[in-house]
Amino acid sequence: MAGHRLHHHLATSVDRWPQRPAVEDVGGRQLSYLQLHRASLRLAAQLRDAGVRAGDRIGLCLPKSLPAVAAIYGILGCDAAYVPLDRTAPMERNAHIVADCAMAGILVASDQVDALATALDAQGYRLPLWGVDVEAASQATEGLFAEPLAPAREETADSAVPADDDLAYILYTSGSTGGPKGVMLSHRNADAFLGWCGRTFEPRPEDRFSSHAPLHFDLSILDLHLPLRHGACVLLIDAASGRDPARLAPLIADRKLTIWYSAPSTLALLAQFGHLERHDLSALRLLLFAGEVFPIKHLRRLLQQVPTPRYFNLYGPTETNVCTFYEIPKPITADRRQPFPIGAPCGSLEILLLDDGGRVVDGDGQGELLVRGDTVAAGYWNLPEANTKAFWTCEQGAKNDRASAWYRTGDWVRRDSDGLLHFLGRRDRMVKRRGFRIELDEIEACLYRHDDVAEVAVVAHADDDGVRIEAVLHPRQGANLSILQLRQLVHRHLPAYMCPDRFRVGGPLPRTSTGKVDYPTLQGAS
Amino acid sequence: MGPIGQQIKAYILQEFLPDIDGDELLGDTPLVRSGLLDSLSILNLRAWLEETFDVGLAGHDLDFDAFGSLDEIAALVISKRSG
């Protein structure tokens, strides 16, 4: 009898399909269910020997690979939570995350041990780093994690106090206060979400899933854990293949993928640059996308090139998992301009719309979307204020009772007469690009690091191709700002998807009568 | 920088970096590693290079092996044309 924990489901699958392939990489290497399970058990035993306890947070700074998947299940097998780091982000940002959630240790690719260690020293946080030779480990199959862990740095973690042992993973997203914030997701949340996915998409052992999203992106929860509950195989797409449509299209065809899941931006690139007509993609039966609005012109083109699969628009912030979904009706007429709805709530999730005055909207109408149910996260790691703001309850005095609280998505939506929801925009200054959340305030905080920047405001413009980010700057008196240097500065401190598309240097920023930056004016002035 | 390099530079400035001072963009300025071009820009650049110079560039890593700097892109195009 399976429990609700992610690794219990893997154990159940091993009993049913021990020899079936569970994970495959782009190089064609595979782990069977039995091999994956055994590797994860070996790692869990090693981690426990190294002092890892239930409720600890363990970092994962590995490229998406066979050993990374085994490591995820190894960490979970200790009843610890995994925290994926973005290997391509500046290490300073990763070190901040490590200290923020007080990790007890990190599994890190050998080639990044030094960079991470240096950033951690600067942060002043000490903990064990276990180096993993990813290439050698990817070859190991039967012997994966049989060798003792390589302690690149043997230290005791500074302050790793165990958390609730139902915590499964923490995903960090851009935060409005200038640093990333950690969304805490429990096994119960993941189990409820994956249960809904199973009922809705009915995965089969013959299915072959794509895993395109990086591990720190919430899409990875579906594409790693769902196939492994159903005896299916997941193809791990590395970052270099993942961003190049000329490599992706043949990969989908040759590996006979049946279920694809990614942000719309990747599918839009495939439609534009993938020469899809040259490839046989007829094995695809489901095409799922989430993370941002799919521009209609690219979706239409994709549908013309890849007509067979069913297309689903999945919607939901990291805090809720997917919470609404909509199947795209085919074909898309040539005159359609407006985006498709985000659809109806998943399974037993409850939704609520609140108008500007904080009143509940009944029936048709617009409002901020609030969500409640099993898939909704308990809150943010160590951010009581953000938790208070993000959750709402209509009962007075019950504000801390998360079980009955609603998560405020910050998304403004319209409910039509069929009960379908349509995304209209944001209530705050968060935007999405390539499926990633970006708090514009975090970019501003970064640009203020430049000595010659006196004032900066970052605004977003939406167009047919998605969101473009513009930084408007006012230099200190007498200073000459180099845009090239500003771009390099952003790149040093923030992930690539957060770099503004455009920089505009000018006079003092416009202000409202109360002295605040006048964003609407800036928005219109580009 | 030769004429091909100049042509590529003009295209990059016009299409992707209209806000930067062209004099600052040197032949060896890192383009991807320093955050000047993102993956979408590189895809567009690759398509433009293939069409403009009639060369096949698929298979070259979009980030580093060929698109590191203006000099490296120009060298790649020249080697493909003469090859």
Side-chain angles (χ1 to χ4, degrees):
Chain A
M1 172 67 194
H4 69 279
R5 291 168 178 258
L6 289 165
H7 49 291
H8 295 165
H9 284 280
L10 177 64
T12 307
S13 293
V14 174
D15 288 342
R16 296 185 62 186
W17 305 287
Q19 303 307 333
R20 284 198 74 87
V23 230
E24 181 176 314
D25 68 14
V26 166
R29 297 172 293 204
Q30 291 184 336
L31 289 177
S32 68
Y33 274 83
L34 191 60
Q35 288 167 332
L36 172 65
H37 191 228
R38 285 186 173 160
S40 72
L41 293 179
R42 283 192 290 264
L43 179 66
Q46 293 209 49
L47 289 172
R48 274 193 294 264
D49 286 347
V52 172
R53 301 155 298 178
D56 277 341
R57 279 77 53 211
I58 303 297
L60 201 65
C61 192
L62 299 172
K64 206 183 330 160
S65 56
L66 305 181
V69 177
I72 286 175
Y73 279 93
I75 294 167
L76 294 173
C78 301
D79 291 322
Y82 70 95
V83 187
L85 299 171
D86 178 358
R87 277 166 42 85
T88 63
M91 277 300 164
E92 163 201 329
R93 187 180 170 89
N94 282 329
H96 169 86
I97 291 172
V98 172
D100 182 63
C101 69
M103 287 184 193
I106 309 176
L107 290 156
V108 51
S110 310
D111 61 351
Q112 286 193 304
V113 169
D114 290 345
L116 184 57
T118 306
L120 286 165
D121 286 343
Q123 179 81 38
Y125 189 82
R126 309 180 76 79
L127 80 171
L129 298 184
W130 298 296
V132 177
D133 180 339
V134 176
E135 190 46 38
S138 296
Q139 309 276 5
T141 54
E142 290 293 344
L144 178 54
F145 292 129
E147 297 286 318
L149 280 178
R153 285 218 315 197
E154 252 179 308
E155 297 185 59
T156 315
D158 274 348
S159 54
V161 180
D164 172 359
D165 74 354
D166 199 45
L167 184 65
Y169 49 93
I170 302 178
L171 298 179
Y172 275 79
T173 70
S174 175
S176 57
T177 50
K181 59 180 188 227
V183 183
M184 302 188 288
L185 289 134
S186 66
H187 284 277
R188 252 170 233 294
N189 297 146
D191 189 54
F193 170 53
L194 295 166
W196 173 80
C197 292
R199 292 187 295 277
T200 307
F201 302 121
E202 301 180 323
R204 307 182 279 256
E206 306 75 44
D207 272 320
R208 295 176 54 77
F209 281 69
S210 68
S211 161
H212 179 273
L215 298 174
H216 61 275
F217 190 4
D218 63 350
L219 271 67
S220 68
I221 302 309
L222 186 156
D223 50 47
L224 286 182
H225 300 298
L226 184 62
L228 297 180
R229 285 182 166 220
H230 295 272
C233 180
V234 55
L235 174 69
L236 306 175
I237 300 174
D238 61 280
S241 308
R243 63 179 159 245
D244 189 349
R247 292 193 205 180
L248 276 182
L251 208 52
I252 300 171
D254 298 347
R255 301 297 175 87
K256 299 196 165 28
L257 297 187
T258 62
I259 301 181
W260 176 270
Y261 187 31
S262 74
S265 50
T266 302
L267 290 166
L269 291 181
L270 268 168
Q272 293 169 83
F273 298 96
H275 300 289
L276 295 178
E277 68 287 352
R278 296 180 197 164
H279 301 281
D280 175 12
L281 305 183
S282 58
L284 274 177
R285 69 176 187 91
L286 285 174
L287 214 150
L288 315 176
F289 54 87
E292 63 197 329
V293 176
F294 202 144
I296 287 292
K297 65 172 182 180
H298 298 310
L299 179 55
R300 183 185 296 113
R301 183 163 172 189
L302 183 70
L303 231 144
Q304 285 161 353
Q305 293 170 317
V306 189
T308 342
R310 295 170 70 189
Y311 284 63
F312 284 90
N313 182 16
L314 308 185
Y315 159 87
T318 304
E319 288 85 342
T320 67
N321 285 288
V322 172
C323 62
T324 73
F325 74 117
Y326 181 75
E327 181 167 5
I328 307 293
K330 299 190 277 190
I332 302 175
T333 53
D335 58 348
R336 186 181 179 103
R337 293 284 173 276
Q338 99 212 71
F340 284 101
I342 55 174
C346 302
S348 60
L349 278 180
E350 298 172 87
I351 61 145
L352 187 74
L353 267 53
L354 277 190
D355 72 11
D356 257 338
R359 290 172 297 263
V360 175
V361 177
D362 290 315
D364 313 358
Q366 294 186 8
E368 182 186 353
L369 177 62
L370 276 66
V371 185
R372 179 163 83 168
D374 288 348
T375 68
V376 179
Y380 304 105
W381 180 267
N382 200 22
L383 288 174
E385 270 185 42
N387 284 333
T388 309
K389 270 169 72 176
F391 290 88
W392 179 88
T393 172
C394 45
E395 295 92 18
Q396 278 286 323
K399 219 152 169 109
N400 293 320
D401 181 3
R402 291 278 173 267
S404 71
W406 297 80
Y407 172 69
R408 305 187 71 132
T409 64
D411 285 341
W412 198 255
V413 303
R414 176 172 66 84
R415 181 166 42 207
D416 67 23
S417 51
D418 296 326
L420 292 176
L421 301 168
H422 300 254
F423 176 78
L424 300 176
R426 288 289 300 175
R427 299 212 63 185
D428 53 18
R429 304 219 319 119
M430 188 189 89
V431 298
K432 293 198 119 181
R433 193 153 62 155
R434 286 179 241 160
F436 290 103
R437 278 153 66 153
I438 300 172
E439 294 282 1
L440 300 176
D441 296 345
E442 197 178 353
I443 306 175
E444 286 177 3
C446 172
L447 286 165
Y448 270 120
R449 289 166 179 254
H450 195 294
D451 287 340
D452 290 335
V453 170
E455 289 185 295
V456 56
V458 176
V459 290
H461 307 276
D463 64 20
D464 259 9
D465 280 313
V467 169
R468 302 191 76 71
I469 295 173
E470 181 183 42
V472 187
L473 303 123
H474 172 54
R476 263 182 220 298
Q477 202 166 13
N480 198 4
L481 280 178
S482 157
I483 308 283
L484 189 119
Q485 280 178 17
L486 288 168
R487 283 183 177 276
Q488 291 169 336
L489 172 81
V490 174
H491 192 70
R492 271 201 304 282
H493 296 290
L494 297 178
Y497 57 83
M498 291 180 76
C499 187
D501 301 286
R502 230 174 339 171
F503 290 78
R504 182 152 53 97
V505 179
L509 298 180
R511 300 269 169 184
T512 63
S513 56
T514 54
K516 292 181 175 164
V517 172
D518 184 356
Y519 285 103
T521 299
L522 283 169
Q523 196 111 33
S526 72
Chain B
M1 198 182 303
I4 288 187
Q6 292 292 355
Q7 197 180 344
I8 298 169
K9 176 176 172 174
Y11 176 78
I12 288 177
L13 285 173
Q14 181 196 319
E15 289 294 315
F16 313 123
L17 300 170
D19 46 15
I20 79 159
D21 177 356
D23 292 343
E24 286 191 88
L25 185 62
L26 307 175
D28 60 356
T29 305
L31 292 172
V32 178
R33 232 173 289 228
S34 64
L36 294 182
L37 296 187
D38 64 9
S39 49
L40 177 59
S41 312
I42 293 282
L43 281 173
N44 278 302
L45 175 62
R46 186 170 73 181
W48 177 82
L49 291 168
E50 290 187 320
E51 197 180 307
T52 308
F53 300 105
D54 193 23
V55 290
L57 299 177
H60 287 275
D61 191 295
L62 284 176
D63 274 9
F64 297 120
D65 77 354
F67 296 88
S69 67
L70 275 171
D71 286 345
E72 284 170 44
I73 299 172
L76 176 73
V77 167
I78 291 164
S79 75
K80 290 277 173 185
R81 288 179 111 189
S82 55

